[in-house]
Amino acid sequence: MTIVMKFGGTSVGSAERIRAVGDRVRERKDRRPVVVVSALSGITDLLIRGAHAALARDEAADAALQEVRERHDGVLRALVPEGPARDRLLVHLDEEINELRTLYTGVRYLGELTPRSLDAISGMGERLSFEIVAEALQAQGVPACAFDARQVLITDEGFGRALPLMEQSRERVERLLKPLIDQGRVPIVPGFIGATQDGITTTLGRGGSDWSAAILGALLPADEIQIWTDVDGIMTVDPRAVPGARVIPEVAFEEAAELAYFGAKVLHPATIKPAIEKGIPVFILNSLNPTAPGTRIAGRVPEGVAGEPRAIAFKKGITVVLISQPRMLMAHGFVARVFEVFDRHRTPVDLIATSEVSVSLTIDDAARLPAIQADLGNLGEVRVLSQMAIVSVVGRGFIRQPGLAGRIFQTLQDVNVVMISFGASDVNVSFVVSAADAEKAVRLLHREFFEGAQQPAERSARA
Ligand code: ASP
Ligand code: MG
């Protein structure tokens, strides 16, 4: 057995936080962990800002360089006692900073920042963090060893958002990573970065460390993947909107994907797909509150809890576009022509509702709205409602419950609902309300479905 434990930027953001990582890993030593780490919080942004500054021949590039050095220097001196290990790390830090300086200089002279150079630069945060974490954990008595992901995570050449080459990577994991685990070592692996077959550094895209963890987890394969972050898990609703929000103990992958659209930004579900496809459960855990049970994301809704809503989500800044055309009655091709306009303007449509003579739909990105409106004007009468919000009740299987629609409408009787999508998805029911009413609608629904006598979220915890 083996598990993958991934620690995000805030979980490795300071010496104190890295010590806590050591505690979490030591507690799980018997489960043969592989540890994936992000860059120290804020470092990736800083590296990228520095690159753009270098491109603009701005002094801020040197300041970025200096700040990157100081952050890591401070953390490593706090964690690694004086001696050969610390000296080696300090030399390594110097080397990496020099390489970064060379990269910035190249960008400045060439006046060009290619995706390939940007990957070399933005991946520097993980290249620094994993070595420090490995040494720090050793100082805490964990048999940790630094293991560069670029040895095993082989990707294509899609710099900036490279795709893993699973077969090549699998062979490397078998040959290079597994023997270490078998020897009782705890490999500390940088997230986010990989390498092409020719050894050129690539990155998996922003926030890519979760993906690294899932890829390695799928290749090993691990029995479990733990994503250690700074929240207690995926919540039933945004806690800033509803004080009664609680952690969802268990969600299906599709539900997590649905929630991510609404900005429940704990993780991007697409990144854990490699694990879900292999049936490996993924846990979201809080490194600041390690005894909290967290959220388990699995491929299927657990037995006995399907048919209950899992969360309420909402998103503001939505625009509703209504097109009506009395002659549409019985006409064919109308909806297709409407969609063709949105397609031409590369604007995704989220919800749609149609009647015999009209179509309403929502868009998230209104940048091209004036042009869209002009084109739609040729098809019928157009009305636009801005400052709207989509509210969704998410939960696989519950949609088919008898009486559900009535219960929702009853709950929202004092809210003006502009659009409803019901039946298109097995995972959510969505409504459009004005943005000013969004919190109210969300609070009412949350009270109805999550704060009542039955409290489905807690019931499923015991399932
Ligand atoms: N450090 C990278 C980023 O900030 C990757 C990650 O943290 O997942 O995007
Ligand atoms: Mg990060």
Side-chain angles (χ1 to χ4, degrees):
M1 82 121 77
T2 184
I3 62 171
V4 173
M5 302 175 74
K6 180 261 170 176
F7 293 88
T10 42
S11 300
V12 294
S14 67
E16 193 196 343
R17 309 283 298 127
I18 293 174
R19 269 190 214 106
V21 168
D23 293 337
R24 301 294 82 76
V25 173
R26 205 173 29 215
E27 287 158 10
R28 289 160 186 79
K29 217 175 74 198
D30 295 345
R31 302 182 71 189
R32 311 208 311 162
V34 171
V35 176
V36 174
V37 294
S38 285
L40 273 53
S41 54
I43 292 293
T44 311
D45 285 334
L46 183 62
L47 290 163
I48 294 171
R49 274 205 308 279
H52 288 287
L55 185 63
R57 297 167 185 254
D58 185 327
E59 315 254 299
D62 297 321
L65 213 57
Q66 201 50 36
E67 199 180 330
V68 171
R69 171 199 286 283
E70 277 163 20
R71 273 286 294 285
H72 292 90
D73 187 88
V75 165
L76 91 78
R77 282 177 199 275
L79 289 169
V80 182
E82 264 181 69
R86 183 199 274 191
D87 293 343
R88 193 189 60 78
L89 272 181
L90 286 169
V91 170
H92 174 71
L93 177 59
D94 269 343
E95 285 166 1
E96 301 288 72
I97 293 291
N98 282 338
E99 186 175 332
L100 184 58
R101 182 178 294 115
T102 307
L103 288 164
Y104 280 174
T105 306
V107 169
R108 183 181 288 129
Y109 276 103
L110 293 170
E112 177 180 71
L113 179 57
T114 62
R116 177 169 162 169
S117 327
L118 190 58
D119 272 1
I121 292 166
S122 64
M124 197 57 91
E126 273 73 6
R127 284 169 59 184
L128 289 166
S129 67
F130 87 108
E131 299 259 5
I132 295 176
V133 171
E135 212 58 67
L137 264 54
Q138 270 198 26
Q140 275 178 271
V142 175
C145 59
F147 184 89
D148 195 328
R150 291 174 296 178
Q151 295 183 68
V152 294
L153 214 164
I154 308 305
T155 72
D156 68 6
E157 296 184 354
F159 296 103
R161 199 172 173 77
L163 296 172
L165 302 176
M166 293 301 257
E167 281 321 308
Q168 279 94 323
S169 302
R170 185 189 319 278
E171 185 272 320
R172 306 275 190 113
V173 164
E174 287 286 339
R175 186 156 51 83
L176 303 169
L177 185 58
K178 271 193 175 166
L180 286 174
I181 306 168
D182 289 337
Q183 287 159 27
R185 309 296 296 275
V186 176
I188 312 295
V189 187
F192 187 47
I193 58 174
T196 66
Q197 276 164 300
D198 299 334
I200 312 295
T201 302
T202 53
T203 70
L204 301 175
R206 291 309 305 273
S209 296
D210 293 335
W211 199 10
S212 303
I215 293 165
L216 293 177
L219 292 176
L220 281 163
D223 302 273
E224 178 177 316
I225 295 172
Q226 303 179 345
I227 308 279
W228 289 85
T229 164
D230 54 358
V231 293
D232 277 346
I234 300 179
M235 311 286 284
T236 51
V237 68
D238 183 342
R240 288 164 303 186
V242 181
R246 56 172 80 99
V247 173
I248 314 172
E250 178 130 26
V251 311
F253 176 69
E254 290 160 313
E255 295 169 328
E258 205 66 47
L259 291 170
Y261 166 77
F262 291 97
K265 62 172 187 49
V266 175
L267 90 168
H268 198 295
T271 62
I272 60 163
K273 216 165 171 200
I276 297 298
E277 279 167 353
K278 288 218 104 189
I280 303 168
V282 176
F283 286 81
I284 310 293
L285 298 162
N286 189 352
S287 62
L288 291 166
N289 184 15
T291 55
T295 296
R296 179 185 205 264
I297 306 174
R300 295 189 317 116
V301 182
E303 290 302 322
V305 299
E308 284 166 355
R310 208 77 54 186
I312 315 279
F314 69 104
K315 187 171 205 172
K316 293 186 182 179
I318 299 292
T319 303
V320 174
V321 182
L322 303 105
I323 308 103
S324 52
Q325 170 54 280
R327 288 192 311 277
M328 177 190 169
L329 193 62
M330 315 298 272
H332 64 85
F334 180 75
V335 176
R337 282 194 292 278
V338 168
F339 271 100
E340 198 270 319
V341 170
F342 287 90
D343 190 40
R344 191 172 338 125
H345 294 288
R346 298 183 174 284
T347 299
V349 168
D350 296 313
L351 300 191
I352 72 163
T354 67
S355 78
E356 280 294 348
V357 295
S358 60
V359 179
S360 9
L361 41 81
T362 70
I363 57 174
D364 198 347
D365 172 8
R368 306 288 315 262
L369 186 61
I372 290 170
Q373 240 176 307
D375 286 359
L376 290 174
N378 300 325
L379 299 176
E381 190 192 320
V382 183
R383 277 200 304 140
V384 169
L385 307 173
S386 50
Q387 309 277 344
M388 306 303 283
I390 296 179
V391 176
S392 279
V393 184
V394 176
R396 191 160 71 175
F398 88 100
I399 314 289
R400 280 181 254 106
Q401 267 183 14
L404 176 76
R407 203 169 150 202
I408 290 172
F409 286 125
Q410 188 68 31
T411 308
L412 294 181
Q413 59 184 339
D414 293 332
V415 178
N416 182 23
V417 176
V418 176
M419 259 175 83
I420 303 163
S421 100
F422 200 103
S425 147
D426 194 23
V427 180
N428 92 59
V429 181
S430 296
F431 325 89
V432 177
V433 300
S434 93
D437 286 340
E439 270 94 353
K440 179 181 175 190
V442 166
R443 270 199 305 275
L444 290 169
L445 288 166
H446 194 266
R447 190 188 305 153
E448 171 67 19
F449 287 106
F450 295 92
E451 297 167 47
Q454 38 175 346
Q455 301 192 344
E458 274 168 26
R459 204 161 69 212
S460 57
R462 293 193 297 270

